[in-house]
Amino acid sequence: MVLTRSAKGKEPASSSGRSSAGIGGSRRRPILLGDSGSASRGGSTARRGESRGRTSSGDDGHDSDESTPVSPLCEMGCEIPPSYEDDDWGGVATGTRLRCRHGLRPRRKICWDGKHTGRRFLGCGLEDGNLKCRFVEWCDPAWSQRAQAVILTLWDVVEDFRQHELQTIAEIEEEVQRIQTLHQSQCERAESEKKRAWMVAFLFAGLLVATMVGMALKMTN
């Protein structure tokens, strides 16, 4: 389809034989529908979307497990966020068509680290941490910048307290080790002194016996 400007009337040609449309006989390029490719691409995209919709929903209008959507990777630097489960939000999510990259139903988890602390999400369906994929689908919106700053500050406080606790534990263990070493050395010294005392006692007893035998032999002579 070609759209052109409607002329109100003919304009007389100049004496030089050039038309009023432009110098050198150039004409304005007509506007073609789909000439820039956007219309054709839009129609193609729409047709692909309709085809994809028919494929994912099935001919009967119900959801099909064969075309289960997969969540994008985790937004936290492609790392699985530390998390936990509780009675209110935990276990396998049965009300979603999403599947992790192992083809399993995701588990409901709560993030417990960094600026996303407290946000609920769906994670990998495996319970073994070494085999988990990086499937993460956030269920709660991101916290505000102010809330994230407060959360990170609290985590810094927790980390400082943890470091102080670890340092205190290390000092206590060092003191316990020192006391055990001192006690062991004292026990070894006591055992050595005990052996020495027994040796002295045996020597004194032998000397006494020898003296008494000598006196007895002298009296008999």
Side-chain angles (χ1 to χ4, degrees):
M1 181 178 178
V2 180
L3 299 180
T4 59
R5 297 178 179 272
S6 60
K8 295 183 180 180
K10 295 183 179 179
E11 296 182 9
S14 61
S15 58
S16 61
R18 299 178 181 176
S19 63
S20 61
I23 300 177
S26 61
R27 295 180 177 273
R28 185 183 300 272
R29 187 169 179 264
I31 303 174
L32 301 178
L33 291 180
D35 181 57
S36 63
S38 59
S40 61
R41 288 195 299 269
S44 176
T45 304
R47 287 192 296 272
R48 288 197 299 270
E50 293 174 358
S51 175
R52 188 182 298 109
R54 289 193 297 269
T55 302
S56 61
S57 59
D59 297 336
D60 55 355
H62 298 286
D63 294 339
S64 173
D65 292 337
E66 297 180 358
S67 59
T68 304
V70 178
S71 172
L73 294 179
C74 172
E75 66 184 56
M76 295 176 62
C78 293
E79 295 292 338
I80 304 174
S83 60
Y84 71 97
E85 300 180 10
D86 58 14
D87 297 336
D88 296 331
W89 187 263
V92 178
T94 58
T96 178
R97 293 177 57 245
L98 293 173
R99 299 292 186 273
C100 72
R101 301 186 183 277
H102 295 99
L104 303 176
R105 291 184 181 274
R107 295 186 65 87
R108 296 181 293 182
K109 299 177 178 294
I110 303 175
C111 180
W112 194 246
D113 187 34
K115 63 182 181 181
H116 298 288
T117 299
R119 287 182 66 188
R120 299 174 298 175
F121 68 96
L122 301 179
C124 179
L126 294 179
E127 296 186 11
D128 189 354
N130 297 326
L131 300 177
K132 287 182 179 180
C133 63
R134 293 175 179 176
F135 172 89
V136 171
E137 180 73 15
W138 294 105
C139 300
D140 292 329
W143 307 133
S144 64
Q145 295 294 330
R146 179 60 180 171
Q148 292 181 11
V150 172
I151 291 173
L152 292 177
T153 301
L154 292 176
W155 275 116
D156 290 339
V157 174
V158 171
E159 184 64 23
D160 292 341
F161 177 78
R162 184 180 303 171
Q163 293 296 331
H164 179 70
E165 182 181 10
L166 293 176
Q167 183 178 359
T168 302
I169 293 175
E171 292 176 356
I172 292 175
E173 291 178 350
E174 184 179 356
E175 184 66 19
V176 170
Q177 184 67 26
R178 188 185 68 82
I179 293 174
Q180 289 178 350
T181 303
L182 180 61
H183 176 70
Q184 184 177 0
S185 63
Q186 289 179 351
C187 290
E188 292 176 354
R189 184 182 301 174
E191 187 68 21
S192 177
E193 291 178 356
K194 183 177 180 181
K195 291 180 179 180
R196 186 182 304 171
W198 277 107
M199 291 178 63
V200 171
F202 280 129
L203 290 175
F204 182 76
L207 180 62
L208 181 60
V209 170
T211 303
M212 292 178 64
V213 171
M215 291 177 62
L217 291 174
K218 185 176 182 181
M219 291 178 62
T220 56
N221 293 330

